[in-house]
Amino acid sequence: MMTGIGLLFLVGALNAGTVAQVDFDQFTETASGWLLAGQGLPRDYRVMLLQMDTADRIRAIAYLRRLGLMTERPWGIDDILRPAATRTEPRE
């Protein structure tokens, strides 16, 4: 399991390149809405995150943890660093 400092280092390293902000920004806005509505994470949140670029996925995981929404099943490093899934790929 990755430590918080290691995760922050990895996020910084991945953000050094050009990363599209649209998916991440939309996701954080949606996640904030879940929190304000008193909801937890939807069942398909992992699928949503797997469709993001790796850097955005890492940032989204960190964001969900900071909000207190992500408290259960941890993400494995293979899932965190997996390339973005396209919508045409079969879902796991």
Side-chain angles (χ1 to χ4, degrees):
M1 185 178 291
M2 193 175 248
T3 64
I5 294 172
L7 183 59
L8 289 175
F9 178 78
L10 186 58
V11 169
L14 290 172
N15 281 334
T18 304
V19 177
Q21 299 294 318
V22 176
D23 290 330
F24 175 74
D25 292 339
Q26 289 174 349
F27 183 80
T28 57
E29 194 172 309
T30 301
S32 295
W34 296 330
L35 179 68
L36 293 173
Q39 297 176 283
L41 292 173
R43 288 184 176 205
D44 66 342
Y45 89 96
R46 290 179 76 87
V47 173
M48 286 189 268
L49 292 180
L50 287 171
Q51 291 173 348
M52 291 180 167
D53 291 333
T54 304
D56 285 344
R57 182 180 312 129
I58 292 169
R59 292 173 57 206
I61 290 169
Y63 185 75
L64 291 173
R65 288 204 178 276
R66 282 195 316 260
L67 286 180
L69 290 174
M70 190 178 205
T71 58
E72 295 182 14
R73 185 174 153 208
W75 281 67
I77 195 73
D78 291 338
D79 285 338
I80 291 172
L81 298 178
R82 181 184 301 189
T86 61
R87 297 192 192 278
T88 59
E89 291 179 359
R91 293 185 177 173
E92 296 179 2

